Amino acid sequence: MAILSQMCVLAVMLPLLGVLVARLANQVIGQVGTHRVIIGAIGGSCLLAVILAQAILSQPVASMDVDLYAWAGHPQWPYVFYIGILLDPLTVVMMVIVTIIALLVHIYSIGYMADDPGYRRFFSMIAFFTFAMLCLVTANNFLQLFIGWEAVGLASYLLIGFWNKRPAANRASLKAFLVNRIGDVGFLLGIALVFAYTGSVHYQTVFAKLPELQQASLVLFGQSYSVITVVALLLFVGAMGKSAQIPLHVWLPESMEGPTPISALIHAATMVTAGIFMVIRLAPWYEYSEFALSWILIIGATGALGLGLVALVVDDIKRVIAFSTLSQLGYMVAALGVSAYSISLFHLCSHAFFKALLFLAAGSVIISLHHEQDMHRMGGLKSSMPWVYWTYLIGGLALCAVPPFSGFYSKDIIIAAIGDSERFGATYAYSCVCLGALITPIYLFRSLFLTFHGTRRYTGQLQAVPWTMQGPLLILAVPSIGFGLWYMQPMLFEHGGLLNDGGTVPQSLQIAFADWWTAWSHAPMTLTFWFTALGIGVAWLCYCQYPHWPERITQILPRVYRLLVNQYGFNQFNDWLIVRGSLRLGHWFTEIIDRQWIDARLVDGSGQAIHWLARQARRLHTGALHHYIGAMMMGVLGLILWLWLN
């Protein structure tokens, strides 16, 4: 076990060591040396993650919880805060997914960022991003989780605003920073309450005290609430920020202002999965609050449908994929709401591969068209970029849950699990996720047809795409096809499932998805299968056969169209509340607190007071001896009077 803990620490630290070496030897190793050092470090971390996964998953129930050292505390303190690692199936699966996607994104970035003046800075930032995510998933306590949580937020802020000479990139990074701070307030308050009521931040210690907290209550505004429910909701507010759930989702589409490789990394395996991971990790806590789970279910299902609808009217190819991420995150969150934690993790892993594939394929199109992202200026690229077309199609079929692609298994099981649930809000959620299955193929195949089919609308010369960008696409295409088939049984059904929560997987699902043939033959009997087929057909009719239909539909439903274009007004609301509210608050602090109190009264005021005292004291120094004698006599008389009175 000691060897495994050392390997885990090395796997986490390698990306950071790669950053330090690359930055310190910046002038010596040059641009090529920078990516070699960092990719070597990420590759080593990936190899170690795979070895750890084999060691942990080869045992039916394996877990290793180790405190490495005391981070803060004293023997006389009531509690000492430790830095440690928790190695269990959830940790190692997340480590493998994060490092594999990060490695492929790093390789892809060699070609994508080749001509960028910030090449070396970019590689350092994405390696630090990987390190932060590994810190988060290996934590064995809330404090360390929060440190990794904030480090991921910092890295995303820097990467979204990587092209800092663009005003749009600066605005997008600031929006991501501010929105996530709102979520982090709830997250930090939740952790504080956990510590206040359990006296610990260590996961296992906290979970052991849950039965004692069932009757504990917290008085807020004169009303009594369950401590477990309040903490669960506060922690989920943090997850809403990181995993972009309504209404804290507005930063994610704006993150497309960053380079495409970082869009793939954020959306596939790092920042947006952090909230999902956190709820899965804290599943024992959430299982004690039916209200919190119902709330999670409703929020997730609403995002799955509502944010998928917005993708129908978006013209930027990267933003279409971004809104698909928001929709798929809604599916994962909805699965958490019905206690299907293994199923949510299964979809997270499956989604990581085909979402990274879609982003990197879109990035290949963008770089080939000299950074053109408007799909209405593309078209006819299938013959010029056949390998990009086929990989994009594979990713799209997986996203749309078409059998036998990986998304079919994970997404259909989520829909079936929600339909089988009796939790409050499940009926509403089931309607949303079923309609989402209709919407997804429409917006995905809309992007495919507008980009690759029809006549070419781009008049410039296409730029050649290097092998470093082609290779990751071909590699990602393989799990986008086969991941669900290979890992459905071990992750969901064998030995109680990967998270040993097989009891939460309904018996009907275990029968329907017993093997690949049963799953395929069962698919045509489900509503989602025919919704998917209908969605593909609608997209083909609207964007291949009758391209004038979409414009006619917008004329028939102008209010609906404007509602979707305005993204339900969330951007305007958040701009008024968060951006302008922050500016107003900052202006108040500047004018009232800083200038009128600190500057005028403390800084300038102290100087003016001393100057006034000096002027008054100067009046006493007249140079006349009788004035000094008179002052001394007055002082003596005053002293005698004070002694007499006391």
Side-chain angles (χ1 to χ4, degrees):
M1 286 296 183
I3 295 177
L4 291 180
S5 65
Q6 293 170 3
M7 290 174 61
C8 182
V9 172
L10 183 59
V12 173
M13 295 304 297
L14 271 175
L16 182 61
L17 292 174
V19 173
L20 294 175
V21 171
R23 297 308 293 173
L24 292 174
N26 187 18
Q27 301 301 322
V28 178
I29 61 178
Q31 182 167 301
V32 174
T34 296
H35 73 239
R36 285 180 178 175
V37 167
I38 290 179
I39 289 176
I42 299 295
S45 183
C46 181
L47 179 61
L48 290 170
V50 171
I51 295 172
L52 288 169
Q54 291 177 337
I56 296 296
L57 298 178
S58 61
Q59 306 174 44
V61 179
S63 178
M64 186 179 69
D65 191 340
V66 179
D67 287 327
L68 300 175
Y69 64 91
W71 181 70
H74 189 273
Q76 297 180 351
W77 288 17
Y79 188 79
V80 178
F81 298 97
Y82 288 93
I83 293 294
I85 56 172
L86 174 59
L87 273 179
D88 64 358
L90 175 59
T91 300
V92 295
V93 166
M94 288 298 298
M95 288 181 71
V96 169
I97 293 295
V98 169
T99 53
I100 287 177
I101 299 299
L103 178 60
L104 293 174
V105 167
H106 278 73
I107 295 171
Y108 181 91
S109 299
I110 296 174
Y112 192 91
M113 302 296 293
D115 299 326
D116 196 286
Y119 185 90
R120 285 176 271 193
R121 177 167 58 94
F122 179 80
F123 270 85
S124 299
M125 285 182 179
I126 54 174
F128 176 75
F129 201 174
T130 306
F131 159 73
M133 189 64 188
L134 291 174
C135 287
L136 188 154
V137 301
T138 56
N140 71 343
N141 61 78
F142 284 92
L143 180 63
Q144 192 175 336
L145 174 70
F146 185 74
I147 294 171
W149 191 272
E150 292 303 304
V152 166
L154 171 63
S156 67
Y157 167 75
L158 296 173
L159 284 163
I160 293 169
F162 177 77
W163 286 319
N164 49 37
K165 293 184 179 179
R166 298 182 181 180
N170 292 327
R171 287 194 300 269
S173 61
L174 180 60
K175 177 179 282 190
F177 181 83
L178 292 175
V179 172
N180 275 277
R181 294 295 72 74
I182 294 174
D184 291 350
V185 169
F187 189 56
L188 188 57
L189 287 174
I191 294 174
L193 285 175
V194 168
F195 183 69
Y197 279 88
T198 65
S200 176
V201 292
H202 189 270
Y203 292 147
Q204 301 307 323
T205 305
V206 169
F207 295 156
K209 294 185 178 182
L210 277 170
E212 304 173 13
L213 292 177
Q214 289 188 71
Q215 304 304 321
S217 60
L218 180 67
V219 178
L220 295 172
F221 307 109
Q223 296 292 325
S224 180
Y225 300 95
S226 166
V227 168
I228 290 180
T229 297
V230 171
V231 170
L233 292 174
L234 286 172
L235 293 174
F236 183 65
V237 170
M240 288 171 66
K242 278 289 185 289
S243 293
Q245 294 300 293
I246 289 177
L248 301 182
H249 68 282
V250 292
W251 68 269
L252 193 61
E254 302 299 322
S255 70
M256 297 301 97
E257 294 296 335
T260 299
I262 196 55
S263 300
L265 193 57
I266 288 176
H267 287 242
T270 52
M271 187 165 175
V272 299
T273 62
I276 308 297
F277 165 81
M278 184 268 290
V279 177
I280 297 174
R281 171 62 75 203
L282 305 182
W285 187 288
Y286 279 93
E287 282 303 296
Y288 279 87
S289 177
E290 282 287 322
F291 179 85
L293 288 174
S294 291
W295 178 252
I296 290 171
L297 172 62
I298 293 169
I299 289 289
T302 302
L305 175 61
L307 299 177
L309 285 168
V310 178
L312 295 173
V313 299
V314 175
D315 296 329
D316 185 318
I317 187 171
K318 283 177 62 176
R319 290 180 185 252
V320 171
I321 305 173
F323 277 102
S324 79
T325 300
L326 291 170
S327 180
Q328 296 307 304
L329 289 170
Y331 279 92
M332 298 176 209
V333 171
L336 298 175
V338 294
S339 300
Y341 302 104
S342 286
I343 295 175
S344 182
L345 178 63
F346 182 41
H347 192 51
L348 184 154
C349 297
S350 174
H351 174 265
F353 292 112
F354 63 72
K355 184 50 57 71
L357 178 60
L358 285 169
F359 264 114
L360 298 187
S364 299
V365 172
I366 292 168
I367 204 74
S368 181
L369 273 60
H370 303 275
H371 295 280
E372 178 59 66
Q373 296 183 198
D374 189 340
M375 296 183 296
H376 290 289
R377 298 178 182 175
M378 298 178 183
L381 297 177
K382 178 182 177 182
S383 58
S384 304
M385 309 178 70
W387 55 273
V388 177
Y389 170 77
W390 288 110
T391 51
Y392 192 90
L393 178 60
I394 289 171
L397 291 171
L399 173 65
C400 297
V402 175
F405 297 89
S406 62
F408 158 70
Y409 302 94
S410 58
K411 187 176 175 181
D412 271 27
I413 292 178
I414 286 178
I415 295 173
I418 294 172
D420 198 73
S421 175
E422 296 180 357
R423 181 156 288 150
F424 176 79
T427 302
Y428 164 77
Y430 183 68
S431 302
C432 288
V433 294
C434 284
L435 290 174
L438 170 64
I439 299 302
T440 301
I442 297 177
Y443 66 68
L444 191 284
F445 277 86
R446 169 181 178 263
S447 69
L448 180 83
F449 294 143
L450 288 177
T451 302
F452 295 99
H453 288 254
T455 58
R456 183 184 297 182
R457 296 176 291 277
Y458 183 76
T459 57
Q461 183 69 31
L462 297 184
Q463 179 178 326
V465 178
W467 69 269
T468 54
M469 295 174 65
Q470 300 178 30
L473 292 180
L474 299 176
I475 294 172
L476 286 168
V478 176
S480 296
I481 298 172
F483 179 84
L485 176 63
W486 301 330
Y487 292 104
M488 177 180 65
Q489 290 296 325
M491 289 191 72
L492 300 183
F493 305 129
E494 291 179 5
H495 308 295
L498 181 71
L499 304 180
N500 199 31
D501 66 343
T504 64
V505 180
Q507 185 66 28
S508 58
L509 294 184
Q510 298 186 36
I511 296 173
F513 292 88
D515 52 59
W516 64 270
W517 175 250
T518 304
W520 291 7
S521 58
H522 175 72
M525 293 184 287
T526 63
L527 185 63
T528 54
F529 176 86
W530 295 107
F531 272 179
T532 300
L534 177 61
I536 296 174
V538 169
W540 178 76
L541 287 172
C542 289
Y543 298 99
C544 289
Q545 293 298 107
Y546 306 101
H548 62 281
W549 279 12
E551 186 176 354
R552 292 288 302 275
I553 293 172
T554 60
Q555 293 173 354
I556 296 172
L557 302 171
R559 293 185 180 179
V560 174
Y561 176 73
R562 285 197 299 270
L563 183 67
L564 295 178
V565 168
N566 292 328
Q567 300 176 29
Y568 310 108
F570 280 113
N571 274 320
Q572 293 85 341
F573 176 76
N574 282 277
D575 180 67
W576 174 81
L577 180 66
I578 299 174
V579 179
R580 297 183 185 179
S582 299
L583 290 175
R584 286 193 294 268
L585 185 63
H587 179 74
W588 183 82
F589 273 108
T590 300
E591 293 296 328
I592 306 299
I593 303 298
D594 189 33
R595 294 181 180 175
Q596 296 185 23
W597 283 92
I598 296 178
D599 285 349
R601 302 193 180 187
L602 294 180
V603 179
D604 296 340
S606 60
Q608 292 171 0
I610 293 172
H611 184 66
W612 179 84
L613 287 172
R615 286 202 313 269
Q616 304 309 313
R618 193 179 300 118
R619 295 178 181 178
L620 300 176
H621 297 274
T622 62
L625 183 60
H626 62 280
H627 287 169
Y628 297 150
I629 293 173
M632 291 174 61
M633 293 300 295
M634 292 291 293
V636 171
L637 289 174
L639 180 61
I640 293 172
L641 181 62
W642 181 79
L643 291 173
W644 179 68
L645 292 175
N646 290 279

